[in-house]
């Protein structure tokens, strides 16, 4: 079928540059852990609401803002890593598709959360939770797919 044999990966020239290529996955693993903490905070808010108990959602909102900023920064750093450190096409992997879907889920979830913040009685709680959780699921899938493109 025209296959010329196993694909070989080009070697990254210096050890410093090779180390930088691993910085993105390590940092994004930590960002994903923060995302799971944000989700757990959201679940605690939901549980308190169901049980009709007071619960301050300040930490959820604060962590979510930090998480969103770090997720965007991680997305951009991943693009830069592929393009400049590894000299590879940027959007040709399953990992890129999954991270794009994850970031979309985070951004839409953040927009819904912001609107929910302003309109406390609105019916946006379920869509906010579903979309943001879908973003986290795509991010977890991207984590697994990212192993295939490590140097």
């Amino acid at each position: 079928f025209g296959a010329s044999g196993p694909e070989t990966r080009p070697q990254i020239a210096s050890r410093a540059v090779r180390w930088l290529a691993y910085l993105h996955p390590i940092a994004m693993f930590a960002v994903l852990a923060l995302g799971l903490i944000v989700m757990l905070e959201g679940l605690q808010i939901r549980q308190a609401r169901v049980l009709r108990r007071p619960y301050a959602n300040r930490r959820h909102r604060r962590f979510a803002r930090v998480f969103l900023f770090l997720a965007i920064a991680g997305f951009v750093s991943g693009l830069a890593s592929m393009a400049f450190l590894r000299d590879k096409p940027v959007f040709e992997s399953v990992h890129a598709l999954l991270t794009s879907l994850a970031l979309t889920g985070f951004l839409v979830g953040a927009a819904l959360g912001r609107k929910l913040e302003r309109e406390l009685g609105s019916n946006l709680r379920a869509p906010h939770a579903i979309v943001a959780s879908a973003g986290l699921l795509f991010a977890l899938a991207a984590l697994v797919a990212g192993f295939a493109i490590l140097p």
Side-chain angles (χ1 to χ4, degrees):
F1 290 54
S4 60
E7 184 178 326
T8 59
R9 297 179 180 187
Q11 293 296 318
I12 297 177
S14 75
R15 285 185 179 195
V17 172
R18 184 173 172 82
W19 182 83
L20 282 174
Y22 283 96
L23 183 62
H24 168 76
I26 292 167
M28 291 312 295
F29 186 79
V31 171
L32 190 55
L34 177 61
L36 293 173
I37 291 169
V38 171
M39 183 186 74
L40 289 174
E41 285 288 322
L43 289 172
Q44 288 177 350
I45 293 167
R46 184 180 187 284
Q47 182 182 26
R49 185 174 294 110
V50 167
L51 297 174
R52 298 188 186 278
R53 293 185 181 157
Y55 189 87
N57 63 5
R58 174 184 248 167
R59 190 163 57 170
H60 174 73
R61 291 182 290 137
R62 190 175 291 160
F63 283 177
R65 287 184 182 112
V66 171
F67 169 72
L68 185 63
F69 172 78
L70 292 174
I72 292 169
F75 183 82
V76 171
S77 74
L79 297 177
S81 173
M82 287 295 283
F84 302 117
L85 290 180
R86 300 178 55 204
D87 197 29
K88 287 191 167 192
V90 179
F91 285 108
E92 289 189 4
S93 67
V94 172
H95 178 73
L97 172 66
L98 292 170
T99 55
S100 298
L101 290 170
L103 189 61
T104 301
F106 299 151
L107 291 170
V108 172
L112 291 171
R114 186 79 169 142
K115 189 166 172 107
L116 185 60
E117 227 178 354
R118 292 184 180 147
E119 302 170 17
L120 291 177
S122 71
N123 294 327
L124 296 176
R125 286 186 184 101
H128 166 72
I130 291 168
V131 171
S133 296
L136 273 175
L137 284 174
F138 282 122
L140 287 169
L143 174 81
V144 173
F147 285 110
I149 59 174
L150 283 174

